[in-house]
Amino acid sequence: MAEETVAAAAAVKKRSLWNSLRWIPSSTDDIIDSEKRLLSLVKTPYNQERVNIGSGPPGSNTRWFRSASDAPRFINTVTFDSNEGAPTLVMIHGYGASQGFFFRNFQELSKYFRIIAIDQLGWGGSSRPDFTCKSTEETEAWFIDSFEQWRKEKNLSNFILLGHSFGGYVASKYALKHPEHVKHLILVGPAGFSAETEMSERLIRFRATWKGAILNHLWESNFTPQRVVRGLGPWGMDLVRKYTSNRFSLASNGDAMTEEESRLLTEYAYHTLAAKASGELCLKYIFSFGAFARMPLLHHASEWKVPTTFIYGTQDWMSYQGAQEARKQMKVPCEIIRVPQAGHFVFVENPRGFHSALLHGCRQFVSSNQISESLPEGLVSV
């Protein structure tokens, strides 16, 4: 055992030395290692695995997708088991994030659910095939079909599906295509409910300026934020550190991240952002400049078949009004909950409020002895 520990330490030291000599000091091993360090903050035991989803959709000769390689693809997956018979909650991260961003939620939620969190194809510790999609339809299929193949490999059904931001868009599109597998949707600050026609006057005026024109050109050229991190090479970590420090360490509700949490999240976020470009290149095909969906979910609200709970932070830049418009057309139960003292990353900024909102949305699946039927204090239903 001691020899294995020494050997592992030597391997890490050797990799660290190699990384220090490279322009982008990161690798897939660094993603998994930083994930383990971040999740060491969670006291609930978990299992990490890379689920083989093959090289393309079943019955198709298309590889993920038109990649030069036919190597099998893997979805990085972590599972936190709960009490026997607990409902399964599958969690999908948003754009520029990975499953580790839910690190402040796993321990509490595993008291009520069997939690399974994934890195979407092309993100985090999952495989990063060449991104060769050329249309919105192909790009949606990249995420929806890879998730469906993952579901089959895990033999899952009748689960609660949670998606944050872009992950909410993917979760919604998946539930529209495969409603038979999802018993409830939890959409956290979901992207995709607003169309470009709903653009504010302020944004219209900005896009008409030279600055707006440049940013729009960069967007349409698929110039992603991750390219900036990679372009800075060894200084990319400093940029990510400033972002995480400013974004998550200044919460005013007593749930501000500790110094250790901030450090470990920074390291994890850096390695996931600096890795090979893959899933991030979906951006221009799914959204136009300003994060307006090219194929808005609002247009499919009347087709909704899965009961849905929307959760927004009260300072979320993603407007809840799109959800209100969608609810008018839905023929299934739908509720919208706002959590105070939180923005777009409500589950990081106010985890206690987020947990209360999620448990309220899932109250029919959780023991009545654990959850009250009434809306918890501080939350707002709109």
Side-chain angles (χ1 to χ4, degrees), residues 109-372:
L109 294 180
S110 63
K111 298 175 183 177
Y112 308 93
F113 306 97
R114 176 195 180 205
I115 296 176
I116 306 178
I118 68 165
D119 289 333
Q120 297 191 72
L121 184 68
W123 294 97
S126 292
S127 298
R128 293 178 178 243
D130 299 335
F131 190 86
T132 55
C133 299
K134 299 300 181 184
S135 68
T136 300
E137 291 80 4
E138 280 188 347
T139 304
E140 288 185 354
W142 163 286
F143 295 103
I144 295 169
D145 292 350
S146 60
F147 181 82
E148 170 60 4
Q149 185 61 25
W150 171 86
R151 183 203 64 78
K152 290 180 178 179
E153 295 297 329
K154 292 292 290 181
N155 193 29
L156 291 174
S157 193
N158 198 36
F159 54 88
I160 301 165
L161 181 58
L162 179 151
H164 170 242
S165 195
F166 170 65
Y169 180 89
V170 173
S172 297
K173 291 285 185 171
Y174 177 84
L176 283 166
K177 187 174 182 179
H178 301 284
E180 67 277 12
H181 301 305
V182 183
K183 64 180 178 181
H184 197 82
L185 265 179
I186 303 288
L187 303 180
V188 185
F193 279 88
S194 299
E196 196 168 14
T197 53
E198 301 166 47
M199 193 183 307
S200 68
E201 288 294 328
R202 182 179 178 184
L203 184 55
I204 291 174
R205 289 196 300 270
F206 175 73
R207 287 184 63 167
T209 66
W210 65 269
K211 291 181 181 179
I214 290 175
L215 289 176
N216 185 64
H217 174 73
L218 290 173
W219 185 287
E220 294 298 332
S221 301
N222 231 349
F223 188 94
T224 65
Q226 290 87 334
R227 285 186 64 181
V228 177
V229 174
R230 286 189 286 269
L232 289 173
W235 295 280
M237 180 76 81
D238 293 331
L239 178 64
V240 176
R241 183 178 296 108
K242 289 179 181 177
Y243 170 76
T244 55
S245 178
N246 293 332
R247 185 68 181 78
F248 301 123
S249 298
L250 301 178
S252 60
N253 64 340
D255 281 330
M257 287 201 301
T258 65
E259 184 176 330
E260 183 182 23
E261 286 178 318
S262 182
R263 176 178 59 81
L264 294 176
L265 180 60
T266 293
E267 293 175 0
Y268 173 72
Y270 169 73
H271 290 300
T272 61
L273 295 172
K276 172 189 171 181
S278 181
E280 73 188 64
L281 299 176
C282 71
L283 196 59
K284 81 165 190 175
Y285 297 106
I286 299 293
F287 305 108
S288 63
F289 179 58
F292 294 97
R294 298 190 187 277
M295 297 178 67
L297 290 165
L298 183 60
H299 296 173
H300 299 279
S302 62
E303 306 165 27
W304 228 256
K305 295 182 175 64
V306 179
T308 302
T309 299
F310 291 87
I311 300 175
Y312 293 87
T314 53
Q315 284 87 48
D316 197 335
W317 64 271
M318 201 71 73
S319 173
Y320 65 90
Q321 294 172 335
Q324 288 181 313
E325 289 300 313
R327 181 171 58 185
K328 295 176 184 178
Q329 303 176 40
M330 291 182 181
K331 301 178 180 65
V332 295
C334 172
E335 59 186 341
I336 304 168
I337 301 173
R338 301 186 74 200
V339 178
Q341 297 176 303
H344 192 52
F345 284 86
V346 54
F347 48 90
V348 178
E349 297 159 325
N350 186 353
R352 286 177 290 183
F354 169 72
H355 299 155
S356 294
L358 189 153
L359 289 170
H360 182 75
C362 296
R363 56 194 180 277
Q364 69 185 97
F365 309 113
V366 180
S367 170
S368 58
N369 296 327
Q370 298 172 293
I371 303 299
S372 170

